Amino acid sequence: MNSETLLARIYTLDTTADDPVLPAPLPEPSGGPHPRAADADEAEEFVRLQHGEHPDQPVPLTTRLRQIREEIDETGTYTHTSDELVFGARVAWRNSSRCIGRLYWKSLRVLDRRRASTAEELHRHLCDHLRQATNGGRIRPVISVFAPDTPARRAPRVWNDQLIRYAGHRQDDGALVGDPAYADFTEAVKRLGWQAPGGAWDVLPWVVETDGDGPRLFDVPRDLVLEVPLTHPDRPDFADLGLRWHAVPAISNMRLRIGGVDYPLAPFNGWYMGTEIGARNLVDTDRYDLLPVIAERLGLDTGSEATLWRDRALVELNVAVLHSFTEAGVRISDHHTESRHFMTHVAREEKQGRGVPADWSWIVPPVSGGITPVFHRYYDDADQRPNFYLDDDARARGRGGCPFGHG
């Protein structure tokens, strides 16, 4: 098979069916009634939590509780101090039951962007988020917290589920070029005016929505998107497949809730665990579905499931992902190391008398789960706050996941 034919097979998904594939309807702008008032009881619970873990606060607990009650009575909401915002964002990561990377929750860099109001300001800060998170390949955990919902004004939003995602272009013949999971979103941004290049690795533009202006398109500056070409340590011809992936998994459509106040725009990132790329993004049948292509490149016998060709291709693809990121100097973690780190996190939290909420189906890696320590125990999947949430409103605009980028 020549290179051109192979690439066409890699990047094309046959969507031919009895019924034509129609573009999804364009999501409606937020609109509607303004959000409800802040939850005073939740606010008190949060402030007591912060003072309990950090008793050296400049304002006494009783004074701060009185300030918050008075502000909620007067305005329907209250304003977090800078220290409360930082503490709340970090604890939200600590409480994220679907994230395996929570050992690093204290290192989260919190960028206070609550003053930004125009789409241009939001775009500038989103660019800065990528710049700080990428850090020349030394990926660091970052969250940018924009203005919250209040009874007087709806907060800004970004429709994209992550700051960097690849487009999925439907062709006239029913085929699809790029990422099938984002075909509907690609159609939506095209209707908003995006002039798509039409390639397999087109980075989707941002749809930034403000209360005054509605949704607006902004391209993601190419110099801010660090990408890693995928190669294999033992197969030089692997590079001929032309595969790549971006370096920063920045989730952007989950609502951050701190002390009864909602921040719908609070993009956050950690760094990738290799299996998210090598066992999900490039492998899921509704994504790039590359296992048959990898198996063919490796010369595996795909005539019977008993040859375990899928398993062998999956392992070699994950070897390629970890190898490529490491060679490029881009931070990434393997699932065995991250599983041990999570158990360290559990032990530390339990020593502090805190429970660790966890969703077993998300914590256990999608490769070799049974030989990782996270597999061999049960967890309490409690809803502890502060935390991150994916609402129907946001889900209609993109797709959600783990704060650490594993979803």
Side-chain angles (χ1 to χ4, degrees):
M1 182 181 294
N2 62 40
S3 176
E4 183 177 351
T5 303
L6 184 58
L7 286 176
R9 178 173 173 182
I10 291 172
Y11 301 140
T12 303
L13 176 72
D14 184 6
T15 57
T16 303
D18 293 337
D19 297 322
V21 178
L22 301 176
L26 192 67
E28 295 292 333
S30 291
H34 287 301
R36 62 174 181 261
D39 188 314
D41 292 337
E42 195 173 325
E44 177 174 345
E45 181 180 357
F46 165 69
V47 174
R48 288 187 181 278
L49 176 68
Q50 184 197 24
H51 280 252
E53 296 189 22
H54 300 281
D56 55 341
Q57 296 299 312
V59 177
L61 175 60
T62 54
T63 301
R64 182 61 183 139
L65 291 176
R66 184 179 68 252
Q67 292 173 345
I68 290 173
R69 283 193 296 270
E70 290 174 352
E71 192 172 353
I72 291 176
D73 288 343
E74 182 177 346
T75 68
T77 188
Y78 71 103
T79 302
H80 289 123
T81 67
S82 295
D83 286 345
E84 288 169 352
L85 191 72
V86 170
F87 176 75
R90 289 174 175 170
V91 173
W93 186 9
R94 188 177 80 189
N95 287 337
S96 298
S97 63
R98 292 183 170 183
C99 182
I100 196 174
R102 284 175 276 167
L103 176 65
Y104 320 101
W105 68 273
K106 290 183 180 179
S107 70
L108 180 63
R109 176 175 293 197
V110 181
L111 304 178
D112 186 348
R113 305 306 195 194
R114 289 176 290 177
R115 291 182 179 273
S117 59
T118 67
E120 288 78 13
E121 289 176 313
L122 268 63
H123 176 251
R124 185 173 70 251
H125 288 312
L126 293 174
C127 290
D128 188 54
H129 181 114
L130 279 184
R131 187 177 296 108
Q132 293 199 41
T134 304
N135 192 32
R138 302 180 301 278
I139 312 300
R140 55 191 170 196
V142 177
I143 184 169
S144 297
V145 184
F146 292 85
D149 270 332
T150 72
R153 188 177 182 84
R154 294 186 65 85
R157 285 159 171 77
V158 166
W159 289 13
N160 309 60
D161 75 332
Q162 291 198 22
L163 294 185
I164 306 172
R165 281 299 200 191
Y166 297 117
H169 304 288
R170 289 191 176 99
Q171 308 299 295
D172 293 339
D173 62 358
L176 193 142
V177 175
D179 192 339
Y182 292 91
D184 289 345
F185 191 89
T186 300
E187 294 289 346
V189 295
K190 285 179 179 178
R191 293 199 297 277
L192 286 174
W194 186 43
Q195 300 298 312
W201 307 102
D202 296 340
V203 175
L204 286 162
W206 292 328
V207 183
V208 177
E209 181 183 341
T210 60
D211 198 29
D213 295 335
R216 292 180 56 187
L217 281 183
F218 289 89
D219 283 328
V220 183
R222 290 300 304 175
D223 64 327
L224 296 181
V225 182
L226 177 59
E227 294 178 291
V228 178
L230 299 189
T231 61
H232 192 283
D234 304 319
R235 294 294 300 259
D237 61 335
F238 190 96
D240 296 339
L241 297 176
L243 305 178
R244 67 175 82 167
W245 205 257
H246 57 87
V248 179
I251 296 176
S252 50
N253 71 338
M254 293 188 76
R255 169 173 55 92
L256 169 64
R257 185 172 178 88
I258 300 175
V261 175
D262 289 323
Y263 296 89
L265 181 53
F268 53 88
N269 70 276
W271 53 86
Y272 269 116
M273 188 167 74
T275 53
E276 173 56 21
I277 303 169
R280 299 302 308 277
N281 295 334
L282 295 176
V283 168
D284 285 352
T285 54
D286 62 344
R287 302 294 300 282
Y288 282 85
D289 193 19
L290 286 179
L291 283 188
V293 175
I294 302 299
E296 181 174 354
R297 176 52 55 113
L298 297 174
L300 301 178
D301 177 7
T302 60
S304 170
E305 296 292 352
T307 66
L308 300 184
W309 65 269
R310 298 181 194 276
D311 308 72
R312 296 165 66 188
L314 185 66
V315 169
E316 294 304 327
L317 178 55
N318 278 272
V319 168
V321 169
L322 293 171
H323 165 77
S324 303
F325 272 64
T326 301
E327 286 294 300
V330 177
R331 191 174 190 179
I332 196 169
S333 183
D334 66 89
H335 51 289
H336 295 286
T337 299
E338 215 55 66
S339 295
R340 292 195 301 270
H341 286 177
F342 182 73
M343 298 313 300
T344 298
H345 169 70
V346 170
R348 289 182 181 178
E349 290 299 296
E350 289 176 347
K351 187 175 181 179
Q352 294 294 322
R354 295 192 291 257
V356 180
D359 183 334
W360 189 94
S361 65
W362 282 70
I363 296 298
V364 175
V367 175
S368 304
I371 57 175
T372 63
V374 295
F375 180 92
H376 301 281
R377 62 166 289 170
Y378 294 104
Y379 305 93
D380 181 15
D381 189 11
D383 178 15
Q384 296 180 183
R385 297 182 179 181
N387 214 320
F388 294 95
Y389 300 91
L390 180 61
D391 299 324
D392 291 340
D393 176 71
R395 186 179 286 107
R397 290 161 170 77
R399 302 173 66 235
C402 161
F404 196 62
H406 299 159

